[in-house]
Amino acid sequence: MAGYSRTDDSPFGRWWRNVDRTTLVCTFILIGFGYILMLAASPAVAVRIGASRNMFIFKQVMFLSVAGLIVTGVSMLSRRTVLRLSLIGGVLMLGATMLTLVHGIEIKGARRWIALPLMSLQPSEFLKPCFAVVTGWLLTERRISRYFPGMLIAFGLYGLILLLLKSQPDIGMLTVITAVFLVQLFVDGLNLIFVGFGFACMVAAGIAAFFIFPHVRSRVERFMHPNVGDHYQIDTALRAFGNGGLMGRGPGEGRVKDLLPDAHADFVFAVAGEEYGLVICLLIICIFAAIVVRTLLRLIREDDPFVVIATTGLLTGFGLQAFVNMASTLHLIPTKGMTLPFISYGGSSAMSVALAIGMVLALTRQQPGGLRSGNGFITTLRQWRSA
């Protein structure tokens, strides 16, 4: 932008010079796809449930508009402020997640949501990015402050979240947070034997979930045995991709949105495949990959371990969520009700992913100072009091 030259010393000018503009643009392209696909997928779903034809559109326009503001606003924060936001937000969302077990809305046998006037809030969605940043700080501080039990606190926090998500239950979110934590431990330098043991425990937990939770067992069995059980949703989604072909049937010409109850949410990628074709689906995949790869390449030049560990955790959660949604729709893995970031309908999902990407942009932004090796726990607290 010509208006923001290197001589512009305004806060916005400094932000624009230092922020990763490629990731920022890719993020807003995904938000644009979210608008387009909600126009395509949601009216039929709204009519089917007896609501106003434009109900989901109006709500998602509001959610995505707020998400865009969150991405921009959070990306302007300093690294220390991002950490402070994560600590406060993590405590609040942890308490809200506990509240879901008592006063949560029960949907399909799970209590994950709290009823609000304009939307249902899923606190665990916001807990995920806060956990990644806080864990990155804990793992970094334990190397700087000699008597600071960062690793012990990190494992304790993870254990508490594990118990809460198992009680809801939300196995998908628990899997994502577990993957985030294991990747962060690996980046922190934990011995590969222990990381491998962690993944082995993750596999063992998945096997246990197969026997404990009937809905998990049903999904795995339907994936492993195509001729057993109800495959209506996944078969319909796969036919949609086939009908779309290379260039798609055209905007508004798809039929999958009239057949699937979650066409605007979990199966929105199938709507994209039918109406816009393989080319647009590949473009969406490439945009998700570009955000992850671009940020990882920036981390190679980063010398602040807090930024590296925290950002890697945020990227793991973001990339894994996108992969699970698209792979489920394509029947590459057992079906899992997980939204496609910025594209599927959902206020909690859109705003929590926006928070995560805003944190990524803030942490990787070129900026003086911040949380660097040598600050130490006591020094950090003093800096906070003086800020």
Side-chain angles (χ1 to χ4, degrees):
M1 295 177 64
Y4 298 101
S5 65
R6 295 186 179 277
T7 59
D8 184 357
D9 199 38
S10 67
F12 192 86
R14 292 195 301 270
W15 168 79
W16 181 254
R17 285 197 305 271
N18 297 327
V19 75
D20 184 356
R21 293 189 290 272
T22 301
T23 298
L24 185 66
V25 169
C26 286
T27 299
F28 278 96
I29 290 175
L30 288 178
I31 291 176
F33 275 121
Y35 282 121
I36 294 170
L37 289 173
M38 202 50 50
L39 289 171
S42 67
V45 178
V47 171
R48 191 160 55 245
I49 64 175
S52 168
R53 181 178 178 84
N54 296 321
M55 181 189 72
F56 291 120
I57 295 175
F58 289 148
K59 283 189 174 183
Q60 192 67 357
V61 165
M62 179 186 68
F63 294 150
L64 291 177
S65 298
V66 173
L69 293 175
I70 290 174
V71 169
T72 305
V74 174
S75 69
M76 294 181 175
L77 302 178
S78 67
R79 292 170 178 175
R80 189 174 295 111
T81 306
V82 168
L83 174 57
R84 184 182 300 169
L85 175 65
S86 299
L87 285 167
I88 296 172
V91 170
L92 293 176
M93 291 301 109
L94 199 59
T97 303
M98 294 177 183
L99 188 62
T100 61
L101 302 179
V102 181
H103 297 291
I105 304 172
E106 183 172 339
I107 301 177
K108 297 180 181 179
R111 290 185 177 271
R112 305 170 187 170
W113 300 269
I114 296 175
L116 297 178
L118 296 177
M119 60 179 287
S120 296
L121 177 70
Q122 185 176 353
S124 60
E125 286 278 5
F126 295 90
L127 191 58
K128 180 173 56 180
C130 294
F131 172 78
V133 174
V134 171
T135 304
W137 174 64
L138 290 171
L139 294 176
T140 303
E141 283 295 328
R142 75 183 181 90
R143 296 183 178 277
I144 300 171
S145 301
R146 183 178 178 184
Y147 299 107
F148 182 67
M151 180 71 78
L152 183 62
I153 297 174
F155 270 97
L157 179 60
Y158 168 73
L160 177 58
I161 293 173
L162 185 151
L163 291 175
L164 291 174
L165 295 182
K166 176 183 175 296
S167 300
Q168 287 184 333
D170 190 350
I171 304 303
M173 183 64 69
L174 177 56
T175 301
V176 171
I177 288 181
T178 300
V180 167
F181 190 41
L182 288 175
V183 169
Q184 288 184 307
L185 291 175
F186 171 73
V187 173
D188 184 51
L190 188 66
N191 191 299
L192 281 176
I193 295 177
F194 292 104
V195 176
F197 176 74
F199 276 107
C201 291
M202 190 174 173
V203 172
I207 295 173
F210 175 84
F211 291 102
I212 295 173
F213 300 105
H215 69 284
V216 175
R217 181 166 59 253
S218 174
R219 289 173 178 175
V220 174
E221 287 178 345
R222 280 180 290 168
F223 176 76
M224 298 298 294
H225 305 287
N227 297 323
V228 177
D230 180 14
H231 295 266
Y232 173 75
Q233 292 201 96
I234 193 65
D235 289 343
T236 304
L238 292 176
R239 282 197 301 271
F241 286 108
N243 294 336
L246 185 64
M247 302 302 297
R249 301 181 63 172
E253 298 299 320
R255 293 293 173 263
V256 68
K257 61 195 178 188
D258 299 317
L259 303 173
L260 290 180
D262 293 324
H264 64 315
D266 297 345
F267 287 93
V268 72
F269 195 55
V271 177
E274 185 177 28
E275 298 201 0
Y276 298 98
L278 176 64
V279 173
I280 294 301
C281 288
L282 290 177
L283 177 60
I284 292 173
I285 293 172
C286 288
I287 293 173
F288 280 114
I291 292 174
V292 174
V293 174
R294 167 79 178 181
T295 307
L296 289 176
L297 291 175
R298 286 176 70 92
L299 290 181
I300 293 176
R301 303 189 298 270
E302 180 60 56
D303 61 354
D304 188 339
F306 163 69
V307 171
V308 174
I309 297 172
T311 305
T312 303
L314 291 167
L315 287 176
T316 300
F318 174 78
L320 185 58
Q321 181 175 337
F323 169 79
V324 168
N325 177 277
M326 293 185 286
S328 296
T329 307
L330 292 167
H331 201 45
L332 299 176
I333 61 174
T335 55
K336 174 67 189 82
M338 194 169 288
T339 57
L340 187 59
F342 294 122
I343 297 179
S344 294
Y345 173 79
S348 293
S349 172
M351 289 185 276
S352 66
V353 174
L355 178 63
I357 294 299
M359 288 176 171
V360 167
L361 291 169
L363 292 173
T364 58
R365 202 176 79 243
Q366 299 174 8
Q367 52 183 299
L371 297 171
R372 294 191 171 274
S373 299
N375 279 353
F377 180 62
I378 302 301
T379 304
T380 301
L381 292 179
R382 289 173 179 169
Q383 290 172 338
W384 281 19
R385 286 198 297 266
S386 63

